[in-house]
Amino acid sequence: MISGIIGRKVGMTQLFAEDGTVTPVTVIKAGPCVVVQTKSAAGSDGYNAVQLGLVEDKPIRLKNVSKPLRGHFEKTGGGLPPTRVLKEIRLNAEPEASVGDQVKVDVFADGEIVDVVGRSKGRGFAGTIKRHKFNRGPETHGSMNVRSPGSIGQSAYPSRVIKGTRSSGHMGDARVTVQNLTVAKVDVENNLLMVRGAVPGPNGGLVVVKKA
């Protein structure tokens, strides 16, 4: 059974229960997806997985498809139109699906626990206080170390900056996985998945929802 789906983050809203309790949820337009390729541990790949393509409202034009991607879709038999987004979902057992099968949001159920993988918002260049939550230096008279990171090396040995030292740099725009989120509601007709809590990335950003 396929345990994941590709989607786009729509935004956040609230669900109201009959007793008046409010649940904050993130709405994800999940799928429909199509199986583009299957991989089996018994075959040359060495592991079980399926490659999914996200079927979007505006299909990609054939002239905008690169030669390698065009050849990849031609291997499916020529019946599948190319998609912009391709993601691989690992499976615990050999895939029961075949190329061309559709994967919809009904693979999930209300109350199920899922992991959501997305890409966080890019924050540009940031200093150590914003990026790594460093403390500020003293602001007393004569202080020259208010927002600077401080010493990052040694004088005698090893006379270099150790790899992995936290410093200023590009903040955000990284792969983020939020685990153990609860599916609050599944809207099969509109391909919507409502997940309790926050999901990484901006509105319209790509996410992969997988069973925990």
Side-chain angles (χ1 to χ4, degrees), residues 61-85:
R61 295 181 180 178
L62 195 61
K63 68 176 184 178
N64 294 332
V65 178
S66 63
K67 273 190 175 182
L69 191 61
R70 191 180 305 173
H72 181 62
F73 277 91
E74 285 176 355
K75 284 183 179 179
T76 63
L80 291 180
T83 59
R84 288 185 180 85
V85 182

Side-chain angles (χ1 to χ4, degrees), residues 130-193:
K130 181 178 180 181
R131 191 183 184 203
H132 298 297
K133 305 296 186 288
F134 277 22
N135 291 328
R136 291 194 306 175
E139 295 187 70
T140 53
H141 179 69
S143 173
M144 306 287 287
N145 184 26
V146 179
R147 293 184 69 91
S148 62
S151 175
I152 60 171
Q154 307 81 19
S155 59
Y157 178 82
S159 300
R160 62 184 175 86
V161 178
I162 302 299
K163 286 184 178 181
T165 300
R166 294 178 297 172
S167 60
S168 304
H170 190 180
M171 181 179 177
D173 193 24
R175 178 187 169 99
V176 178
T177 302
V178 180
Q179 294 180 315
N180 299 328
L181 296 177
T182 304
V183 176
K185 186 178 180 181
V186 177
D187 188 348
V188 180
E189 293 182 2
N190 299 311
N191 297 317
L192 294 178
L193 190 67

Side-chain angles (χ1 to χ4, degrees), residues 9-44:
K9 179 180 175 180
V10 178
M12 292 201 71
T13 185
Q14 296 172 330
L15 293 180
F16 292 87
E18 294 181 357
D19 57 356
T21 57
V22 180
T23 303
V25 295
T26 302
V27 182
I28 301 172
K29 190 178 187 306
C33 295
V34 62
V35 177
V36 179
Q37 185 183 12
T38 60
K39 297 184 179 182
S40 172
S44 59

